[in-house]
Amino acid sequence: MTGPQPRNGIMDLPPYVGGKESLPGQEKIFKLSANENPLGASPNALEAYRMAGENLEIYPDGHSVALREALAKAHKLDVNKIVCGFGSDELLQIMATAYLQPGDEAIHTEHGFLVYKLASLATGARPVSVAETNLTADVDAILDAVNDKTKIVFLANPNNPTGTMISASEVRRLHAGLQENMLLVLDGAYAEYVLTTDYEDGFALVEETQNVVTTRTFSKIYGLAALRLGWAYCPAPIAAVINRLRGPFNVSTPAQVAGIAAIEDQAHVQASIKHNDEWRDRLFQQISGAGFEVLPSHANFLLIKFDPENGLSAAQAEQKLNERGLILRGLTAYGLPDALRLTIGTEEANQLVIEVFQEMAGNNG
Ligand SMILES: *Cc1c(COP(=O)(O)O)cnc(C)c1O
């Protein structure tokens, strides 16, 4: 007897390996590996979270009504097309479960967010990785990979871990090349950090079409990663599907009330954007000035490439950074073994990063 067997594809899933959380022997560490907000959550969100602790015996609102209304008001959207989730990861997984089955294909870009591939594999469908150009999504290559089996195209814009993005017209060209039965998932986890005007946040596309969903998260700019809160803006028929598959109480009360307070504190959001923009520029200048290749980023992190032929490898650089208490994200799992991802941190962390890169410049050819 072999015992119960999971569906095909599930044992192909690589077990999740997270980034480092601590460094043995280091007292003070700066975790710059998970794209968390260095300014933390809004104080109002923390207060709302604490208040929710008074009534833990009560089930949450299973439809997150007040939170969805706050989102609808802030973004001028139709509240009925908003679905909240246990992190946007839950919503990405639900869309894969709902729209993929064995024999189907789901497209993601070569260095796209790993959840797309994992969520696709878990359904028994085939994840199709499409080559990027200059570490940026390539719309022509994606459209070339589309065929009758394609059911979902996942695109993070800007993408994690590259920080690159494609313009509004490119997103529209991508959508125009898909058939009506193919779902385009636009993951806007870093949308708030984008400062170029030529950006498609996806909300208008959701209104205008039947096959686009855009996802957002409270884990990044809102600084609420611990609470697990995300949301999707979807055409009504897709919202009806997600609502059938999600857990009936998938968003906890502390997450709902903290989320509402966070949305209402736009001053904190603006301060976070400003901090990110200033330090993204400075870190880019200083690290590239020290002779390292840094990718221009539209998000709250930078991708730094190393050249082991000519100087330090990413592993050696990671070691040196770790020795100074700095944790960056190694990107081997993303097919980028010669790169590290650096989250924009607090002023103190960023200054230390600059110092260590300047020291490493001496060892780099
Ligand atoms: C961080 C991140 C998310 C957010 O996931 P949550 O489950 O909401 O924490 C989604 N997509 C991308 C590309 C991310 O980097």
Side-chain angles (χ1 to χ4, degrees):
M1 291 303 287
T2 50
Q5 294 298 303
R7 229 181 14 236
N8 284 342
I10 290 174
M11 293 313 290
D12 299 335
L13 292 168
Y16 182 75
V17 183
K20 287 182 196 168
E21 304 257 309
S22 63
L23 297 171
Q26 293 289 338
E27 256 168 41
K28 185 153 193 182
I29 62 158
F30 297 97
K31 183 165 170 263
L32 303 173
S33 55
N35 301 342
E36 294 145 347
N37 186 340
L39 306 188
S42 153
N44 302 350
L46 295 179
E47 178 59 19
Y49 169 79
R50 280 189 205 104
M51 298 277 286
E54 309 270 313
N55 296 98
L56 294 185
E57 75 283 11
I58 310 288
Y59 271 97
D61 171 2
H63 299 280
S64 303
V65 174
L67 172 59
R68 285 166 46 233
E69 282 171 350
L71 286 166
K73 184 166 167 238
H75 296 277
K76 301 192 172 59
L77 300 174
D78 177 353
V79 66
N80 298 311
K81 298 182 184 171
I82 296 174
V83 183
C84 294
F86 185 68
S88 47
D89 279 3
E90 183 195 21
L91 299 166
L92 295 168
Q93 254 138 20
I94 287 177
M95 286 187 275
T97 305
Y99 293 100
L100 297 174
Q101 56 187 322
D104 292 341
E105 294 183 358
I107 289 176
H108 62 85
T109 58
E110 187 180 355
H111 304 107
F113 188 45
L114 276 180
V115 168
Y116 312 145
K117 179 182 171 188
L118 300 179
S120 305
L121 274 176
T123 70
R126 193 166 87 85
V128 176
S129 171
V130 173
E132 297 167 356
T133 300
N134 299 325
L135 296 175
T136 308
D138 179 331
V139 170
D140 291 310
I142 295 173
L143 293 177
D144 280 347
V146 169
N147 62 46
D148 288 346
K149 295 181 192 152
T150 307
K151 293 290 150 53
I152 302 185
V153 175
F154 289 105
L155 180 72
N157 201 36
N159 182 50
N160 171 19
T162 54
T164 56
M165 60 166 271
I166 61 172
S167 68
S169 56
E170 283 294 274
V171 171
R172 297 234 161 206
R173 193 163 73 81
L174 170 59
H175 174 261
L178 301 177
Q179 289 163 30
E180 277 174 15
N181 67 339
M182 299 172 181
L183 175 61
L184 174 60
V185 176
L186 292 173
D187 180 342
Y190 302 96
E192 296 87 355
Y193 295 106
V194 175
L195 297 179
T196 82
T197 48
D198 189 14
Y199 179 63
E200 168 67 67
D201 63 20
F203 296 140
L205 261 179
V206 174
E207 302 289 12
E208 293 162 25
T209 71
Q210 286 301 312
N211 62 336
V212 177
V213 169
T214 181
T215 59
R216 291 291 188 96
T217 182
F218 282 82
S219 301
K220 305 290 156 59
I221 199 145
Y222 288 104
L224 294 172
L227 288 180
R228 314 303 306 124
L229 180 58
W231 58 287
Y233 196 56
C234 336
I238 296 179
V241 168
I242 299 176
N243 277 322
R244 280 169 169 75
L245 280 173
R246 69 177 175 81
F249 301 104
N250 61 335
V251 182
S252 72
T253 304
Q256 292 185 32
V257 297
I260 294 167
I263 297 161
E264 289 173 351
D265 188 356
Q266 283 300 313
H268 185 74
V269 174
Q270 289 309 320
S272 302
I273 292 172
K274 185 164 177 282
H275 175 89
N276 190 69
D277 187 39
E278 288 175 7
W279 281 105
R280 181 171 57 192
D281 265 16
R282 275 168 81 172
L283 286 161
F284 179 90
Q285 298 299 341
Q286 296 291 327
I287 298 171
S288 49
F292 297 88
E293 186 181 348
V294 188
L295 230 60
S297 167
H298 294 277
N300 66 341
F301 54 85
L302 292 168
L303 185 129
I304 305 162
K305 285 165 95 181
F306 296 85
D307 182 0
E309 304 287 305
N310 245 323
L312 287 177
S313 68
Q316 288 167 324
E318 189 179 5
Q319 178 63 31
K320 289 195 184 292
L321 289 152
N322 284 174
E323 282 164 15
R324 303 294 292 278
L326 296 163
I327 305 181
L328 277 71
R329 182 76 153 103
L331 297 175
T332 305
Y334 277 96
L336 295 164
D338 294 332
L340 295 175
R341 192 190 66 198
L342 166 73
T343 304
I344 311 300
T346 59
E347 173 168 3
E348 186 187 8
N350 298 337
Q351 297 285 15
L352 182 59
V353 166
I354 292 170
E355 196 182 304
V356 177
F357 270 94
Q358 285 171 347
E359 288 167 16
M360 291 195 298
N363 308 338
N364 207 36

